[in-house]
Amino acid sequence: MSVETNSAEISVVIVGAGPVGVTAALLLARHGVRSVVLERHQDVYPLPRAVATDDEVRRILQAADVDEEFDAIARPARGLRLLDARHHVMAEFPRAAQGAHGFPQTSMFDQPALERVLRAALARTPECELRKGVEVTGVEQDGAGPVRVTYREAEGEHVLLADAVLGCDGAGSVTRSAVGSRWEDLRFEERWTVIDVRTSLPVRCWEGVDQVCDPARPATFMRIGEDRYRWEFRLPDDTQPDHERLRELVAPWVDLFAGADFEVIRQAQYTFRARTADRWRSGRVFLLGDAAHLTPPFIGQGLCAGLRDARNLSWKLARVLQQGAEEGLLETYESERKPHARRMIRLAVAMGWAMTGGQDGAAALRRGALGAAVRIPRLTTAVARDLTPSLTAGPLVRRPSRLGRRGPVGGFCPQAWVSVDGRPTRLDELLGRSFAVLALAPVAPTVTAVADGLGARILPVADLDDEGRLATWLREGRADAVLLRPDRVVMDVVPAGGHDFTGTADWASLLHTSRRPLHTQRTTQNLLLRSTTR
């Protein structure tokens, strides 16, 4: 096969142009990394799928520079209610209008609208190129050399050589096969009917999510937009509801009569599964989103988990490719994200079991236990907080033993509104794209040296004019200063009364290196090779 050389340097090939793949491309571009995104379809999938996101993911969209566009299509939600079989409220878990990340804790949206926002951002980003209507047929890597991606389009077969490949190609991922990964079954599988509706009828809605905890007919209901609603039902058979059955199903929320304005946009059956891939990486090939994990939708975290993957990996990959960080930095992607994703999947499974009580003889006992548990004030308060757990301890999460889990390490720095030249600004806009240090007081020379080595800004929180919010957060965490990663996770702290970070030796070797970045070593190689038509 003859090969045509293209002079452009492309570091990363992304397989799949769904929300996860495009977000990954945008985040890499913000770090100066070029990418080619390969997508089998010509246009955005037009029907709704994911409908909810949390404030942490809103912060990720902010990092991708699409937060204002997303805000225009999003609708804040009040929270979650658990209803019994008679639709009486068992428990209510409110979500704040502004969470710790600076956005509504829960937002509803239409996935096709989100994908159009992301595609528009991609089109105006010169570091990114989208190739549509192509089928990836192979992903191969040979030792330390570039990854070879083969794809087919109408003109013939082509080859890309790249420093890394991100598999964002869904549950049937071609990339997962290249990684040699298999599914680990987390023991949840149920078939549900999903109905998306547009109507001007008055709908009895509390502007949040209803979970009906009824073993006989569990259901989920939510308002998505001004006139858009979604119902999900676990039905005893696989038949699609006709008008009479549909009227019966939605009766607790809306009075549906013949000829009413009630447009069913989509009615589909889905098998909700709980799975995670046993391997998320092989060399420079990585799995993200549904290629790496599948979660039931009961806590609205399926798409959120994929965007967290993109945020976690993008800055690490950029640091290796652009700044010559050690290869071991990339190992922390799976070690951080996989336990986190598993915990969120298990939480979703637990919510599914809470809704149904299971399908065995102990269902009634579990339902009784749930009814008692949701009356415990401390439990409902805990559930109303951020759902996502802190990252487990590791090379980039240095949790001092004296602080333990009560400290801020592994969690996110809150995104306060700060004042810049008299103008309200979200903290992340001030911090930029790299590491940062937030400090209560002037820091010791050792801290300054570490910050200089990482290219990190040092910001005294007293100068940020944030009404003392960050200073309070630091004091509650018993820290005089915190070291923030580019994804705004707290990596290390200077404990109260201390003079240095606690775990520099653990992470310095991954982040500080004199090795030249990979792309500067290849003075005679092009990172993008395209074949001619066979």
Side-chain angles (χ1 to χ4, degrees):
M1 179 171 57
S2 59
V3 174
E4 173 190 347
T5 301
N6 188 312
S7 60
E9 290 189 350
I10 306 298
S11 295
V12 179
V13 169
I14 298 173
V15 184
V20 176
V22 177
T23 300
L26 294 173
L27 293 172
L28 286 168
R30 303 305 179 248
H31 291 286
V33 178
R34 297 179 61 85
S35 65
V36 170
V37 185
L38 304 177
E39 170 56 44
R40 63 185 299 184
H41 300 292
Q42 288 288 349
D43 203 355
V44 168
Y45 186 73
L47 298 179
R49 287 169 290 170
V51 294
T53 187
D54 59 25
D55 53 332
E56 179 189 339
V57 170
R58 290 287 302 264
R59 194 173 186 177
I60 295 172
L61 296 176
Q62 177 192 357
D65 290 338
V66 295
D67 55 303
E68 292 185 3
E69 293 90 341
F70 182 78
D71 190 62
I73 64 170
R75 184 185 188 92
R78 290 177 57 183
L80 168 70
R81 295 192 310 186
L82 300 184
L83 310 181
D84 64 16
R86 294 177 295 174
H87 286 238
H88 296 160
V89 177
M90 299 168 58
E92 185 175 308
F93 308 107
R95 306 295 279 167
Q98 181 167 305
H101 296 279
F103 296 96
Q105 281 190 300
T106 299
S107 298
M108 311 304 294
F109 66 96
D110 181 46
Q111 182 169 335
L114 168 62
E115 293 199 40
R116 286 190 287 269
V117 164
L118 292 170
R119 292 276 186 99
L122 196 75
R124 61 177 181 263
T125 303
E127 294 86 356
C128 306
E129 179 186 351
L130 173 61
R131 299 181 186 173
K132 299 179 290 186
V134 304
E135 179 187 2
V136 173
T137 56
V139 178
E140 302 171 310
Q141 54 185 331
D142 183 14
V147 184
R148 181 184 180 93
V149 180
T150 308
Y151 71 91
R152 184 187 300 119
E153 60 179 348
E155 299 174 358
E157 193 167 77
H158 305 276
V159 173
L160 301 178
L161 300 184
D163 285 326
V165 172
L166 309 188
C168 306
D169 45 347
S173 170
V174 172
T175 318
R176 190 172 59 250
S177 299
V179 168
S181 179
R182 298 180 179 180
W183 284 125
E184 294 180 1
D185 192 346
L186 301 183
R187 302 178 67 182
F188 184 92
E189 185 170 318
E190 290 188 348
R191 193 164 178 83
W192 285 60
T193 296
V194 179
I195 304 169
D196 285 285
V197 166
R198 179 181 287 112
T199 183
S200 61
L201 296 174
V203 179
R204 294 177 282 277
C205 175
W206 82 297
E207 300 297 341
V209 178
D210 284 344
Q211 302 276 26
V212 181
C213 303
D214 177 10
R217 186 182 290 173
T220 304
F221 165 72
M222 64 202 77
R223 183 174 187 171
I224 300 170
E226 189 64 30
D227 61 350
R228 287 281 313 284
Y229 303 87
R230 170 174 290 184
W231 282 270
E232 299 172 356
F233 300 98
R234 196 191 74 193
L235 302 178
D237 52 54
D238 290 341
T239 59
Q240 298 280 11
D242 58 16
H243 179 81
E244 284 304 312
R245 184 74 185 281
L246 185 59
R247 184 184 64 80
E248 175 193 351
L249 290 172
V250 304
W253 297 276
V254 59
D255 299 322
L256 182 59
F257 52 89
D261 174 25
F262 195 84
E263 177 190 0
V264 177
I265 301 171
R266 180 190 64 153
Q267 183 171 308
Q269 293 179 329
Y270 285 91
T271 300
F272 297 157
R273 295 185 173 93
R275 293 178 177 178
T276 183
D278 61 353
R279 297 175 61 194
W280 291 28
R281 175 200 180 204
S282 176
R284 287 289 185 85
V285 182
F286 303 85
L287 302 179
L288 295 82
D290 285 355
H293 42 73
L294 297 175
T295 180
F298 304 120
I299 57 173
Q301 289 291 308
L303 177 60
C304 295
L307 297 185
R308 289 188 182 93
D309 296 341
R311 180 67 156 148
N312 186 284
L313 179 59
S314 59
W315 74 266
K316 298 171 182 178
L317 190 56
R319 197 162 185 93
V320 170
L321 298 180
Q322 299 288 90
Q323 301 179 44
E326 287 298 322
E327 193 80 9
L329 178 61
L330 301 177
E331 296 176 4
T332 66
Y333 165 62
E334 180 175 345
S335 66
E336 289 184 349
R337 283 296 306 136
K338 188 174 182 180
H340 193 276
R342 287 178 69 95
R343 291 182 65 181
M344 297 305 293
I345 292 171
R346 292 195 183 283
L347 182 59
V349 169
M351 180 60 73
W353 278 74
M355 290 174 63
T356 66
Q359 302 176 53
D360 56 19
L365 293 176
R366 281 192 289 271
R367 279 284 296 108
L370 172 67
V374 297
R375 291 177 173 82
I376 302 173
R378 290 181 62 183
L379 176 63
T380 55
T381 301
V383 173
R385 297 194 196 109
D386 290 339
L387 292 174
T388 57
S390 296
L391 297 181
T392 54
L396 300 182
V397 178
R398 182 62 176 85
R399 188 171 286 120
S401 58
R402 59 186 282 193
L403 298 183
R405 287 204 167 270
R406 292 179 295 174
V409 176
F412 284 91
C413 167
Q415 181 169 211
W417 283 92
V418 300
S419 179
V420 177
D421 298 327
R423 181 174 59 88
T425 304
R426 285 192 171 97
L427 176 66
D428 288 0
E429 304 302 323
L430 180 63
L431 297 180
R433 307 288 184 190
S434 187
F435 290 83
V437 176
L438 298 180
L440 279 172
V443 298
T446 51
V447 173
T448 301
V450 168
D452 289 344
L454 291 170
R457 296 184 63 182
I458 300 177
L459 287 89
V461 294
D463 298 342
L464 296 180
D465 191 16
D466 68 333
E467 300 180 347
R469 183 179 174 190
L470 289 169
T472 300
W473 172 69
L474 285 168
R475 292 190 184 99
E476 289 177 348
R478 295 182 291 174
D480 282 346
V482 293
L483 176 59
L484 305 181
R485 306 180 342 178
D487 56 7
R488 302 306 160 225
V489 170
V490 179
M491 187 166 80
D492 206 342
V493 300
V494 177
H499 301 286
D500 199 358
F501 294 112
T502 64
T504 309
D506 293 336
W507 45 258
S509 61
L510 297 179
L511 301 171
H512 295 248
T513 175
S514 60
R515 182 176 64 82
R516 288 181 300 160
L518 181 61
H519 75 277
T520 64
Q521 296 180 43
R522 294 185 182 170
T523 57
T524 60
Q525 286 188 337
N526 288 302
L527 300 181
L528 170 63
L529 299 179
R530 295 194 64 179
S531 73
T532 57
T533 304
R534 272 186 172 178

